[in-house]
Amino acid sequence: MSGGIYGLSGSGLDIDALVKKLMTAQRTGENTLIQKKTVVQWQKDAYNKVYDDINDFRNTIYQYKLHGTLNPNKVSSSNEAVVKATAGASAPEVSHTMTVTQLADGVKLTSSASLATPGTTVDKTSIATQFYSGMAVADIPKSIITISNGSASATIKVDPTGSLNDFVNQINGAHLNIYASYDSTLDRVFLGTTQPGASADISFAGSNAAGLSFLTDKLKLPAAMVPTGATIASSGTVKATTNIDPANQISTWFPTIADSTLKLTNSLTGKTESITINSTDTLKDVMSRINSGNNVMAAFDADTGQFSLSPSGLISMAKGEKLSSTATLSAAAGSSIASQFYQGMASADISPISITIGNGVNSKTINVNANGTLDDFINQINDSGLNVTAGYDSAKGAFTLTNNNTGDNSTISFAGSNAAGMNFLVNQLKMPAQVGTLSIDGSDQGAKDLLTKLNMPATFNSGKATTSTCSVTIPLDPTQTLKSQFSEFATNSGSFVLNMANGSSTGSVTIDPTTDTLNTLLSKINNAGVSATATYDSSTGKVTLKTTNGGSLSFSGSDARGTSFLANTLKLHQAGKDAAFNLDGMDLTESSNNFTIAGVTYNLNGVSPATSITDPTPQKVAISVSNDVEAEVTAVKNLVDAYNKILTNLNSKLDETRYTDYAPLTDDQKASMKDSEITAWNTKAQSGMLHRDSTISSLVDSMRNAFIGSISGLTGKYTNAAAIGLTTSNYMEEGKLHLDETKLRNALTDDPTILDKLFATAGTSTVGADGKVVTSTPTQGIAGRIYDAITTTMDKLYQKAGSTAIASSDVSSTLAKQLTDYTKRIKDVTTRDNDMEDTYYKRFNAMEAALAQLNQQNSTLASMLGTK
């Protein structure tokens, strides 16, 4: 707005005051719109508050649709030091007996002694200073620790420059349900599982020798031990780790394999080749027969011990087409094909590679010399006379083929190449190819069994090589030397020492892998004088260790190779314990000390004591489940309180007086009033926003009727709320509920399930034409009636005013749309009034300027006249 000019012309007019008076009447329309918008906002806020209040009550009433609220049980235990129990509503009212023989527990590992020598001072700044004093960090063994709990595992690299607390944090941060801590005062490390039960597990299998040495020698943790009174076993089947020799007879490794026929079908070529397999064959014999065709390529990787089968592909090139390797080749200039593409295989073990190139009329077969170079093979193709050029792009590391023919019938095909040839082109030279899917349908069971023994997956990969899921190792024979059974002793067969301790008893055995077998190793443990029994079960493939005196057996101080053999190869690990108990004559186990059976939740606190000094039989705990009448009465009283509270709330909104003469105050009105006057005015102005609101009135009526009406379908003397002592008051109390506790208790005695029937009966439902489910109100329980009535009301309130939760974003409710409309209208009127105010100022300013000019002219004229 333009500013007013005062006294410029000497007129003495207060332009601001004049314009304000002129605009007072003009702005009446704007103030009226603002007042109306304020009333709508107050109404919207009031509806939102009711929405929140009845939603809270709906959550409460929902609980009274549940069996657990309406039919609670109570449980008594004759010995809560052994077991406490609670019962859900579904638990039958019967008595149980229980004896507890073992509590569930997790795994707990603790350093066997202080980490530092007593009386010495150690710098604990880092692992290097704490455990490897005097050694350069670069010389400290690289410790890699694999720690697992069941199927969850993590590999941790020990950082010698970090502290022991850093290592502890690595374990805690691995999220394995394993906790770790270091107590610097006790100077010990503590490990444990956060969950109990036999599935709880701490295993260090997979750790390297330095890692296991760090655990056992530095942290003094038992990498493999038998806890007090427990038994430990292999976490899985113990298997030999030495790979089979494909040059030996199949029957040497798999004596149960019968003579059979393997049928290999390649979906691309459509061919099925039948391969004869004899138990006297070597694996090399079988692979040679497979590779002699042009359908499938078989291979055995001596390094990994894995067998593979891959379908051959058909490579073809249209006239003028060029093909190139899809990936960079492992180039080695001047090296042989054997060394460049078949590393680790002797030339004699490489299947003969035969590649046929044809154009439909003429063809040329090239026998690839594995001892020759890639350049030799390229020259063989270029000299074939079929106008095909082969080359090697050293910049890209790619082998290339180009069809230089241009005639209509000049497609070059490699059909007719044997499987080894196709494998060389596709898998070694990475040439693009059509690839088929391999299947063994129609093969004898013996052939299928052989593939299973070779660890081949049940389903073949589509269009590419299918490889054994893991190394194909020799079957474990506990009577053969450790060196012949386990690859870890193949290159280092020196003896190792196992030190054992069980209480005050200690023992030490020396194991020579070149002469000792698994059986002799276990026998040496059994005869070490430490009250321990070690066994191997050929049916399960597991090694078991237990003590015969109930003590704990530790292998701390053993050679790292010995500890590694126990943890990694024999898979010995510490597992938690399941709870063991007898319930009603049945022996059961649970992974936790807290569990639920048949609606009763048991909390085990201890082991059952013996019946007497002379009778070791565990005492039985008597557990009784009965209906909790007091809890039921309390539940009904709580419902009455909640119902009356929300009813009072709603009635207060409906009865609140609406003072229509008290419109919202304008800013100008507030400016002339005291704060107390404004507060008093606003109290009346905001009163009665929901006075006699039809939606809320309908809800109050529905809630009252829910208690008055009988439940259709119920028979006997308890068919409505009044029959059990729940009645609504007269109109003076506006329908409040009253409870006759004596009547309720009598009803519960007559029929313990009456609350469930009256409140939680689901009612009869039908699906309407619109697809919505409609429940017949007369057949519904009281809680369902009220719940549905509140839901219907909330839907209506949401459409009318939204909810508090969406207040800031609500634009679609009826009142939100009104607010938006008022905002627009106010903006338009304000703009119009501001424009008019500017016009008044401009006119008064122009008048003042004209008067000032006139006065100046008069002064000048008077001056001129006076001079004469």
Side-chain angles (χ1 to χ4, degrees):
M1 292 185 296
S2 303
I5 299 176
Y6 179 76
L8 175 67
S9 64
S11 66
L13 297 175
D14 185 343
I15 304 304
D16 283 334
L18 288 172
V19 172
K20 186 175 182 180
K21 289 181 179 179
L22 288 170
M23 290 301 301
T24 298
Q26 184 65 34
R27 292 196 184 277
T28 301
E30 177 183 347
N31 289 334
T32 300
L33 289 174
I34 292 174
Q35 288 173 319
K36 289 181 177 180
K37 178 184 176 183
T38 301
V39 171
V40 172
Q41 183 64 60
W42 286 346
Q43 289 177 333
K44 190 175 188 299
D45 292 342
Y47 278 122
N48 290 166
K49 180 65 169 62
V50 170
Y51 183 97
D52 292 341
D53 292 342
I54 63 175
N55 184 46
D56 289 342
F57 182 64
R58 185 178 69 158
N59 293 335
T60 298
I61 203 68
Y62 177 79
Q63 300 302 315
Y64 291 83
K65 297 174 66 176
L66 303 178
H67 192 60
T69 304
L70 301 170
N71 195 23
N73 286 318
K74 60 181 179 180
V75 183
S76 62
S77 169
S78 63
N79 189 345
E80 292 191 347
V82 175
V83 57
K84 291 181 68 174
T86 56
S90 62
E93 294 182 38
V94 297
S95 296
H96 304 278
T97 59
M98 175 181 282
T99 58
V100 180
T101 55
Q102 176 176 283
L103 292 178
D105 199 2
V107 180
K108 300 178 180 67
L109 305 180
T110 306
S111 302
S112 59
S114 297
L115 305 187
T117 302
T120 62
T121 301
V122 175
D123 181 359
K124 300 179 181 179
T125 304
S126 68
I127 287 175
T129 59
Q130 186 171 359
F131 300 107
Y132 301 94
S133 178
M135 288 183 66
V137 171
D139 296 333
I140 296 173
K142 301 297 187 292
S143 298
I144 300 176
I145 296 171
T146 297
I147 182 171
S148 61
N149 182 2
S151 60
S153 65
T155 298
I156 296 172
K157 295 181 179 179
V158 181
D159 180 7
T161 63
S163 68
L164 184 52
N165 281 325
D166 292 333
F167 171 70
V168 163
N169 290 335
Q170 284 180 283
I171 296 176
N172 292 328
H175 305 296
L176 302 174
N177 288 326
I178 294 176
Y179 67 84
S181 64
Y182 169 60
D183 189 314
S184 58
T185 303
L186 297 175
D187 196 26
R188 298 191 185 208
V189 171
F190 299 85
L191 284 178
T193 57
T194 58
Q195 86 279 23
S199 61
D201 180 351
I202 294 183
S203 171
F204 298 106
S207 304
N208 68 357
L212 288 169
S213 177
F214 177 72
L215 291 170
T216 58
D217 298 339
K218 304 302 182 183
L219 303 188
K220 301 182 181 179
L221 290 170
M225 71 166 286
V226 182
T228 301
T231 298
I232 66 171
S234 306
S235 58
T237 301
V238 178
K239 298 179 180 180
T241 55
T242 300
N243 296 335
I244 65 170
D245 184 348
N248 286 356
Q249 289 184 355
I250 294 173
S251 58
T252 302
W253 315 122
F254 315 118
T256 60
I257 295 298
D259 295 346
S260 59
T261 300
L262 174 66
K263 292 189 176 181
L264 297 170
T265 302
N266 186 334
S267 64
L268 181 62
T269 64
K271 291 178 59 177
T272 298
E273 293 181 350
S274 296
I275 312 300
T276 300
I277 300 175
N278 301 311
S279 60
T280 56
D281 288 332
T282 67
L283 186 58
K284 279 189 175 182
D285 294 334
V286 177
M287 291 193 297
S288 178
R289 293 187 194 124
I290 294 174
N291 294 335
S292 63
N294 57 6
N295 212 31
V296 182
M297 176 67 185
F300 182 82
D301 190 320
D303 289 335
T304 65
Q306 291 175 288
F307 175 77
S308 63
L309 288 173
S310 57
S312 299
L314 296 177
I315 299 178
S316 61
M317 294 187 295
K319 59 183 179 182
E321 185 177 4
K322 181 178 180 179
L323 299 179
S324 182
S325 302
T326 58
T328 302
L329 305 184
S330 54
S335 60
S336 67
I337 286 175
S339 61
Q340 186 172 353
F341 299 107
Y342 300 92
Q343 297 95 332
M345 291 183 67
S347 298
D349 293 335
I350 299 173
S351 298
I353 303 171
S354 176
I355 296 175
T356 299
I357 305 175
N359 59 12
V361 179
N362 300 312
S363 65
K364 175 77 172 183
T365 297
I366 297 173
N367 294 317
V368 181
N369 180 10
N371 291 317
T373 65
L374 182 58
D375 284 340
D376 294 335
F377 172 60
I378 290 172
N379 291 334
Q380 284 179 287
I381 295 177
N382 293 337
D383 294 340
S384 65
L386 293 173
N387 206 17
V388 175
T389 301
Y392 178 73
D393 186 335
S394 58
K396 297 181 179 179
F399 176 75
T400 60
L401 284 172
T402 305
N403 181 1
N404 299 310
N405 296 287
T406 57
D408 292 336
N409 297 316
S410 56
T411 297
I412 294 295
S413 170
F414 291 85
S417 302
N418 70 359
M422 294 305 300
N423 177 73
F424 178 64
L425 289 171
V426 175
N427 295 326
Q428 309 304 326
L429 297 183
K430 313 294 184 185
M431 299 301 287
Q434 295 174 283
V435 285
T437 299
L438 189 63
S439 72
I440 58 171
D441 294 343
S443 298
D444 293 345
Q445 188 59 46
K448 294 179 181 179
D449 289 343
L450 176 60
L451 292 182
T452 300
K453 294 289 187 182
L454 294 175
N455 298 328
M456 295 294 284
T459 304
F460 284 83
N461 290 321
S462 178
K464 59 182 180 180
T466 299
T467 303
S468 301
T469 55
C470 58
S471 300
V472 183
T473 57
I474 63 175
L476 178 63
D477 184 345
T479 66
Q480 298 299 311
T481 65
L482 297 176
K483 180 176 181 179
S484 67
Q485 296 284 292
F486 302 105
S487 58
E488 63 196 271
F489 301 120
T491 57
N492 185 357
S493 56
S495 299
F496 61 87
V497 176
L498 293 177
N499 290 322
M500 293 164 282
N502 181 358
S504 60
S505 300
T506 60
S508 179
V509 297
T510 301
I511 307 298
D512 184 350
T514 62
T515 57
D516 276 312
T517 67
L518 179 58
N519 282 345
T520 61
L521 181 149
L522 299 178
S523 178
K524 287 183 177 181
I525 293 175
N526 292 334
N527 296 318
V530 290
S531 300
T533 300
T535 58
Y536 170 70
D537 187 335
S538 59
S539 62
T540 63
K542 294 185 177 182
V543 171
T544 301
L545 279 176
K546 62 181 178 180
T547 57
T548 57
N549 63 349
S552 63
L553 177 66
S554 171
F555 287 89
S556 296
S558 299
D559 286 353
R561 291 177 67 229
T563 303
S564 175
F565 182 71
L566 294 174
N568 291 330
T569 306
L570 299 188
K571 304 177 183 179
L572 290 172
H573 73 305
Q574 296 195 56
K577 300 183 294 183
D578 285 342
F581 56 95
N582 182 286
L583 178 64
D584 297 334
M586 182 178 294
D587 290 328
L588 300 170
T589 60
E590 288 285 345
S591 61
S592 170
N593 292 316
N594 304 307
F595 50 86
T596 301
I597 298 176
V600 179
T601 298
Y602 298 92
N603 300 296
L604 305 187
N605 299 315
V607 174
S608 297
T611 301
S612 66
I613 297 176
T614 58
D615 184 1
T617 305
Q619 292 180 9
K620 291 182 178 180
V621 179
I623 298 166
S624 177
V625 181
S626 60
N627 187 42
D628 193 342
V629 174
E630 291 307 313
E632 290 176 316
V633 173
T634 299
V636 175
K637 289 170 65 177
N638 290 340
L639 173 61
V640 170
D641 291 342
Y643 177 90
N644 288 339
K645 180 180 179 181
I646 189 64
L647 187 68
T648 299
N649 183 357
L650 296 179
N651 281 328
S652 69
K653 304 295 183 186
L654 294 172
D655 297 340
E656 194 174 49
T657 303
R658 179 77 181 103
Y659 298 94
T660 55
D661 293 337
Y662 284 80
L665 294 171
T666 65
D667 290 340
D668 288 341
Q669 290 172 326
K670 291 178 182 178
S672 62
M673 298 171 68
K674 297 178 181 178
D675 289 343
S676 59
E677 293 173 332
I678 295 173
T679 300
W681 183 283
N682 283 340
T683 299
K684 288 194 173 184
Q686 295 182 46
S687 174
M689 289 293 109
L690 304 180
H691 179 71
R692 300 192 184 282
D693 183 85
S694 60
T695 302
I696 298 175
S697 294
S698 177
L699 173 61
V700 170
D701 291 341
S702 297
M703 289 169 57
R704 184 182 300 116
N705 292 334
F707 282 95
I708 295 174
S710 296
I711 311 301
S712 177
L714 293 187
T715 59
K717 59 181 179 179
Y718 304 114
T719 62
N720 57 34
I724 65 169
L726 274 171
T727 56
T728 58
S729 62
N730 58 38
Y731 75 95
M732 293 295 293
E733 289 187 320
E734 297 186 304
K736 281 188 177 181
L737 277 180
H738 291 277
L739 172 63
D740 184 334
E741 289 190 31
T742 300
K743 202 170 184 178
L744 175 60
R745 292 178 193 277
N746 291 337
L748 290 172
T749 301
D750 288 346
D751 184 355
T753 63
I754 190 57
L755 290 183
D756 205 40
K757 294 173 182 176
L758 286 175
F759 283 88
T761 297
T764 303
S765 298
T766 57
V767 180
D770 57 358
K772 294 183 179 180
V773 177
V774 179
T775 302
S776 170
T777 300
T779 63
Q780 266 186 310
I782 296 170
R785 293 173 178 179
I786 296 176
Y787 186 89
D788 289 353
I790 294 175
T791 300
T792 299
T793 301
M794 289 176 64
D795 290 342
K796 291 179 180 179
L797 294 181
Y798 191 87
Q799 292 175 5
K800 187 175 185 65
S803 68
T804 304
I806 65 164
S808 62
S809 60
D810 178 23
V811 294
S812 59
S813 70
T814 300
L815 294 185
K817 290 178 180 178
Q818 289 184 26
L819 290 173
T820 300
D821 180 63
Y822 276 126
T823 299
K824 181 178 181 304
R825 291 169 62 187
I826 292 170
K827 181 180 179 182
D828 292 342
V829 171
T830 300
T831 300
R832 183 194 64 193
D833 290 348
N834 288 341
D835 289 345
M836 182 170 288
E837 187 177 54
D838 284 346
T839 299
Y840 281 138
Y841 274 117
K842 288 177 182 178
R843 288 179 179 178
F844 277 112
N845 289 345
M847 180 192 73
E848 284 291 311
L851 287 174
Q853 185 179 7
L854 180 61
N855 288 337
Q856 180 65 37
Q857 291 174 348
N858 288 338
S859 297
T860 302
L861 181 60
S863 176
M864 293 173 62
L865 292 174
T867 301
K868 292 180 177 180

